[in-house]
Amino acid sequence: MIAARPRRTTHLAGTALAAILMTFASSAWAADFQLDNVKIDLGKLVINAPKVTIKGSTLEKDAFLALFSGVAEPAAARAARLNAAEISAPELSLVQTVGDQKQTTIYRDIRLTDIREGKIGRGESASGSITADGATTGPMKGELKRTAFDAFDLRQITRVLTEKAGPGANEAMLPVIGNFEQDGYSLDMGKAGKMSLGKTTARGFAAKVGPEPLLDVMSRLAAASEEVERKQGGKKPADADKSPTKTEAERQLGLSVLALFDMFEYGSGETRDLVMNVSPPPKAGVKADAVDMRIARMAFGESTPAKSGFAMEGLQFRSGEAKGGIDSIGYSGFAFGSVIRELRAALAEPDKPIDEFDFRRFIPTLGTVRLAGISIDAPAIITGKEPVKISLGTFEIKAGEQLNGIPTSLAVTIDKLVTPISESTGHPAAKDMIAMGIRSLDLSAKLDLAWEAAKNEIAIRTLSFGGAGLAQIEASGTLGNVTKDLFASDLALAQVAALGATARNLQVKLQNYGLVEKLIENEARKSKRKVEDVRQQFTMVASLGLAAVLGPSDGAKSVAAAASRFVAKPGTLTVQASAKSATGLGLADVITMTEPTEIFEKIDLKADAQ
């Protein structure tokens, strides 16, 4: 038997890939030979191969083996000398032990070709299987379909795993895997349920050497995880062992973890046909329904519709009598670089009081989030009634450029939010709507605003809310004297800037699509009067009542007249207001008023009804 034990062990299965490829790739070779009973022991991960065949090696068998057992030469340098026409193995097993659990993964019919200077042209495994024991949900087993990749840079991934960048050096980000394919797998998780996955493809994965070897970071993370489990098992308080030395070690670990975010680029890819049946743990006296879930497609990077970020399509779920689905979920434009930078700064000053941190700086670049085609069917609230159905056509939030974490522009869209009106609430408004024949609400809303730095203005381009078949209100306007100080990290300065803002103009449009008629008819029914009598009463109230409240100004008269015409013949009511002062109407102008009607002396007001 041929066995090799590396000098540094790790508890993580993530090292398996590098270990496998370093075992079965070879350097500028001309000789052909076979290795039997190959074993690599990584402590809690053991790799076995009964037979490995090497073709096209210029190294003899013993020299080839020396590449994996030698310690005088760095691993990356040895990897760079690996060349081969082909390496194959009928079977390869990975046995991993984590706590009481033991997992065995077997890959079959492995073939690596065109290996030059540590770069593997193509690799493939025809099939595989997974078994696991020791979990609380019982034994698990599964089957793997074909797995393949190309352009794997063994030398670079070995450097990332075992080397660290020099002081002040910023290593180049280099491609590690060109393309990756996995045709699917199925997994029986015992009492926890079952899952399967269709084809997965990915491309463009890259990595660079960080401030610490990746193996060292992973080993420390594994040790920290084991320590947490040990403390939880012994019911020991989390802060019971906080010596200065330990606190410094945790700080350094935090910095190491943050460095991982700079070490990788994940490229693009997609996964299709995820199917899960999950059974929750049983609880005494509680009936827990299994959850069935399907996802048609998950994608990231350029494989998404937005060509960046993440997207999920065709989500469906069911549990008992409840079911639902989401056509698509996606986000793009998100970036966490600023968050990582601020976390590093916080770890560099561990004694800094928490109230001195500006937490707005920890807000990531927000980008765009979009959900479409949401539907949920829930059991009826009242026995014998129809199930509750809720749906949403589109929800989207899009943030623009940010200053100190705060977006300078924001757009929010909610389209076709359909929700039922339930009789079980007993609310008077719900009863009135049902009496008016409104059994459900179909709501839409939109907000679009932006800060214009050159003008020191916030333009409210759109603010709207409405219900299909009822009414819609739309507004737009401009806020002036909005300086950059509004986004300052100094909260007091930001508050002063907010108080100094002024209102320059406002336009409001109310469109009736049947709500006014329903309100009048409902009032007539409740008061047992004719609809026309109620309409005349509402018209008189709008005319005389508003005139009495708003005062005798021309603007007030215009609003009262337009409102009465709108009630008499509901259509579209438009109101336009603008400050007479070029600087706008500010808070100081409002608080100095002795009567509300004085506002009409400071604004130009127009109203119309069509």
Side-chain angles (χ1 to χ4, degrees):
M1 181 178 73
I2 299 168
R5 175 180 287 272
R7 299 175 67 192
R8 179 185 290 112
T9 61
T10 178
H11 301 291
L12 299 173
T15 60
L17 182 60
I20 294 168
L21 296 175
M22 286 196 66
T23 304
F24 306 137
S26 49
S27 175
W29 305 341
D32 298 343
F33 51 87
Q34 177 178 304
L35 305 178
D36 296 320
N37 298 322
V38 176
K39 179 180 179 180
I40 297 179
D41 190 340
L42 299 172
K44 293 191 175 183
L45 176 65
V46 180
I47 304 169
N48 294 286
K51 182 175 71 174
V52 181
T53 302
I54 296 96
K55 295 181 180 180
S57 171
T58 55
L59 296 177
E60 294 298 330
K61 185 175 182 178
D62 291 341
F64 173 78
L65 288 173
L67 291 177
F68 309 107
S69 58
V71 295
E73 187 178 17
R78 285 181 277 137
R81 293 194 290 110
L82 297 177
N83 294 270
E86 180 181 313
I87 302 173
S88 60
E91 184 177 291
L92 171 77
S93 67
L94 284 72
V95 181
Q96 181 183 5
T97 303
V98 179
D100 296 331
Q101 298 184 39
K102 182 179 180 181
Q103 177 177 307
T104 301
T105 305
I106 298 176
Y107 294 95
R108 302 184 185 91
D109 299 327
I110 298 170
R111 185 169 179 262
L112 310 177
T113 58
D114 191 21
I115 306 154
R116 300 181 181 181
E117 298 180 349
K119 296 182 179 179
I120 301 174
R122 181 167 179 81
E124 182 172 330
S125 168
S127 63
S129 62
I130 300 174
T131 58
D133 296 296
T136 56
T137 55
M140 294 187 292
K141 60 182 180 180
E143 294 293 328
L144 300 172
K145 295 183 180 180
R146 183 188 71 97
T147 302
F149 61 84
D150 63 33
F152 184 89
D153 191 337
L154 179 61
R155 177 181 178 275
Q156 177 64 8
I157 195 62
T158 302
R159 289 197 65 215
V160 172
L161 289 168
T162 63
E163 298 181 9
K164 65 179 181 180
N170 185 19
E171 293 263 350
M173 187 77 69
L174 298 177
V176 173
I177 298 178
N179 294 281
F180 172 84
E181 293 182 357
Q182 213 286 318
D183 286 348
Y185 70 83
S186 60
L187 183 63
D188 185 338
M189 300 180 291
K191 296 178 182 178
K194 297 181 179 181
M195 68 173 293
S196 63
L197 193 66
K199 187 168 185 176
T200 296
T201 59
R203 64 185 185 276
F205 184 81
K208 70 176 183 178
V209 177
E212 289 185 80
L214 182 59
L215 283 179
D216 288 359
V217 177
M218 293 301 184
S219 295
R220 287 198 284 153
L221 284 173
S225 176
E226 289 181 352
E227 184 175 357
V228 170
E229 292 179 0
R230 176 179 59 80
K231 287 182 177 180
Q232 290 176 343
K235 304 298 181 181
K236 186 177 181 180
D239 58 351
D241 183 18
K242 283 290 185 180
S243 65
T245 301
K246 185 174 182 60
T247 301
E248 174 61 19
E250 291 175 347
R251 187 180 74 85
Q252 291 296 333
L253 178 61
L255 290 170
S256 299
V257 172
L258 292 177
L260 298 178
F261 289 90
D262 297 329
M263 293 173 61
F264 301 101
E265 290 181 357
Y266 297 97
S268 305
E270 69 169 19
T271 294
R272 292 182 177 271
D273 302 323
L274 171 65
V275 179
M276 296 182 67
N277 177 274
V278 181
S279 300
K283 293 183 180 180
V286 178
K287 180 184 177 182
D289 294 315
V291 178
D292 291 319
M293 184 174 70
R294 296 174 178 267
I295 300 176
R297 180 175 181 262
M298 293 180 288
F300 61 96
E302 292 186 354
S303 298
T304 67
K307 303 301 180 183
S308 68
F310 172 82
M312 181 169 65
E313 301 169 356
L315 168 65
Q316 297 179 341
F317 60 88
R318 177 186 289 272
S319 179
E321 297 182 36
K323 64 178 181 179
I326 303 177
D327 290 346
S328 65
I329 302 174
Y331 72 79
S332 60
F334 271 64
F336 293 91
S338 60
V339 179
I340 302 303
R341 183 171 59 252
E342 293 300 325
L343 287 173
R344 283 199 184 102
L347 287 172
E349 299 180 282
D351 298 326
K352 185 176 180 179
I354 192 170
D355 58 357
E356 293 184 12
F357 285 102
D358 180 7
F359 287 97
R360 291 186 298 178
R361 293 182 176 272
F362 292 87
I363 301 174
T365 301
L366 298 177
T368 301
V369 177
R370 179 181 174 85
L371 293 84
I374 301 174
S375 62
I376 298 174
D377 290 8
I381 299 176
I382 301 177
T383 304
K385 296 293 184 179
E386 294 184 357
V388 177
K389 297 179 180 291
I390 300 174
S391 63
L392 174 62
T394 304
F395 171 80
E396 182 178 85
I397 179 169
K398 183 176 183 180
E401 181 182 354
Q402 294 170 226
L403 289 178
N404 291 324
I406 307 301
T408 57
S409 65
L410 184 67
V412 180
T413 300
I414 299 174
D415 185 47
K416 297 191 73 61
L417 171 60
V418 180
T419 179
I421 306 299
S422 175
E423 299 178 61
S424 63
T425 62
H427 196 282
K431 292 182 177 180
D432 281 343
M433 283 190 282
I434 292 173
M436 288 186 286
I438 304 173
R439 306 295 303 189
S440 65
L441 295 175
D442 184 347
L443 306 175
S444 297
K446 188 173 183 179
L447 169 66
D448 185 2
L449 56 84
W451 177 62
E452 299 180 5
K455 299 179 180 179
N456 282 337
E457 291 181 347
I458 289 182
I460 304 173
R461 297 163 180 162
T462 302
L463 174 60
S464 66
F465 178 78
L470 299 175
Q472 177 167 309
I473 184 169
E474 300 176 7
S476 61
T478 304
L479 300 178
N481 196 35
V482 182
T483 66
K484 190 176 182 179
D485 290 341
L486 181 66
F487 306 94
S489 56
D490 186 329
L491 185 58
L493 187 60
Q495 289 175 338
V496 171
L499 293 173
T502 62
R504 291 186 175 172
N505 57 71
L506 175 67
Q507 299 82 39
V508 179
K509 181 168 67 173
L510 174 62
Q511 293 175 287
N512 173 63
Y513 297 120
L515 178 61
V516 175
E517 290 87 349
K518 291 180 183 293
L519 290 171
I520 293 174
E521 290 170 1
N522 186 58
E523 180 60 28
R525 183 169 51 253
K526 290 165 63 177
S527 62
K528 298 181 180 180
R529 291 185 294 164
K530 293 181 179 179
V531 171
E532 190 56 34
D533 292 341
V534 174
R535 185 189 306 277
Q536 291 177 2
Q537 180 188 359
F538 280 14
T539 302
M540 183 175 297
V541 170
S543 178
L544 300 180
L546 281 178
V549 172
L550 299 179
S553 67
D554 291 340
K557 292 177 181 178
S558 173
V559 171
S564 61
R565 289 198 302 272
F566 177 78
V567 174
K569 189 176 181 180
T572 301
L573 174 65
T574 304
V575 179
Q576 298 178 331
S578 60
K580 293 181 178 180
S581 171
T583 58
L585 184 67
L587 180 61
D589 297 315
V590 176
I591 62 177
T592 56
M593 295 179 186
T594 58
E595 294 290 339
T597 54
E598 291 181 17
I599 194 172
F600 294 109
E601 299 175 6
K602 301 179 180 294
I603 63 173
D604 291 321
L605 188 63
K606 297 179 181 179
D608 188 27
Q610 299 290 334

